[in-house]
Amino acid sequence: MQNDTENVRVRGSGTQSIYLALRREILSMALEPGSPLDEVRLSERFGMSRTPIREALLRLAADGLVTTLPNRNTIVAPIDFAGLPTYFEALTLMYRVTTRGAAERRNGDIMKRIRLHQNDFADAVAARDAYAMIEANREFHVAIAELAGNSYYTAFFARLLDEGRRILRLYYSTFDDRLPRQYVDEHEEIIAAIEAGDAERADRLAIAHAGQIVRQIQDYIARDLDRSVAIDISQSAEPG
């Protein structure tokens, strides 16, 4: 019985380590959308049986990061660019309601956490560490949502931020990971509005903060589409 318990514990630890490693690679775009995830190769890579590999892939599927095709092959989930307008609409709304709600409440302990996450974000920006930027940004805004005090908003916003990690990675790549100091300063302005209890200003800042992110990503996608069209045209113009 004890051996069975130990085996489950070891397998669970293996599943967690595989899950975290693949999740980081997917979110950082080291594993690009559509990349195959072969259980045999992953088993060889991690030096583990296929059982923890399969369990890790199931967890990633629940996160929406991998998908299984009709032929049962598993791949990194594509980014749903067609669904981005509705995603941006929901994201902007959650920026607004959580930031405004936070300004209407007072909680010193949560404000300390918000400050810590802001410091982490500033450090990541200075280091040009895109993965750390994304993590710190997520924790910063989730802490603000927690301060707002509506657990449903917090859960939904956290899910949106998690779903948008790869989109945010594309966003940061538009700056070659040299994120302007402006984005750190915007966070500082949001903190100041919350601490001042100025809900109207917090709302305006949230709208502006979300708006510039949306515009930057939309511009990136438009440029990428233009490049793809140009390549298609040049290829079709080549003599056969």
Side-chain angles (χ1 to χ4, degrees):
M1 183 69 176
Q2 185 175 357
N3 287 339
D4 290 342
T5 302
E6 290 175 355
N7 288 337
V8 170
R9 188 180 299 117
V10 170
R11 192 180 73 192
S13 175
T15 297
Q16 177 72 357
S17 64
I18 296 164
Y19 166 78
L20 291 175
L22 292 177
R23 184 172 182 272
R24 182 184 180 99
E25 291 174 11
I26 292 170
L27 293 176
S28 67
M29 303 289 278
L31 280 172
E32 296 181 352
S35 298
L37 295 169
D38 181 74
E39 290 183 11
V40 174
R41 291 184 179 178
L42 290 174
S43 180
E44 292 172 353
R45 171 187 166 183
F46 290 104
M48 296 185 188
S49 71
R50 293 175 65 176
T51 298
I53 300 293
R54 193 172 295 117
E55 290 174 351
L57 291 177
L58 286 172
R59 288 183 61 185
L60 291 166
D63 292 343
L65 294 176
V66 307
T67 188
T68 302
L69 302 175
N71 61 8
R72 303 192 69 179
N73 289 336
T74 302
I75 63 170
V76 176
I79 296 174
D80 180 17
F81 289 108
L84 283 182
T86 52
Y87 172 81
F88 288 145
E89 182 180 351
L91 186 70
T92 300
L93 177 62
M94 294 315 300
Y95 269 117
R96 293 186 64 184
V97 297
T98 57
T99 306
R100 185 185 186 95
E104 294 171 345
R105 302 189 66 194
R106 294 287 189 277
N107 187 308
D109 289 338
I110 296 180
M111 282 308 306
K112 288 178 184 176
R113 292 213 314 270
I114 292 171
R115 279 279 178 196
L116 287 174
H117 295 315
Q118 168 66 349
N119 292 340
D120 289 342
F121 181 71
D123 290 344
V125 169
R128 293 178 57 196
D129 185 338
Y131 187 83
M133 288 185 224
I134 292 168
E135 289 292 316
N137 180 75
R138 188 254 191 206
E139 296 305 318
F140 173 79
H141 287 291
V142 169
I144 288 174
E146 289 174 347
L147 177 55
N150 186 314
S151 60
Y152 292 99
Y153 287 164
T154 302
F156 182 52
F157 196 20
R159 177 185 159 192
L160 285 175
L161 291 168
D162 286 338
E163 288 181 4
R165 284 172 187 254
R166 291 188 295 169
I167 300 169
L168 201 57
R169 182 67 189 92
L170 292 177
Y171 169 58
Y172 289 158
S173 73
T174 65
F175 299 100
D176 192 27
D177 295 343
R178 300 175 189 269
L179 204 64
R181 177 73 194 185
Q182 164 196 348
Y183 302 103
V184 177
D185 294 341
E186 286 183 5
H187 279 190
E188 290 292 341
E189 291 174 3
I190 288 171
I191 290 173
I194 292 172
E195 289 179 332
D198 190 339
E200 295 300 328
R201 177 165 172 73
D203 190 23
R204 290 194 301 273
L205 290 170
I207 293 171
H209 190 60
Q212 55 86 8
I213 293 173
V214 170
R215 285 191 301 274
Q216 195 74 25
I217 295 172
Q218 288 173 332
D219 288 346
Y220 173 86
I221 293 170
R223 290 197 303 272
D224 195 50
L225 286 173
D226 288 342
R227 284 195 298 270
S228 299
V229 170
I231 290 171
D232 289 343
I233 291 173
S234 65
Q235 288 176 343
S236 63
E238 292 177 0

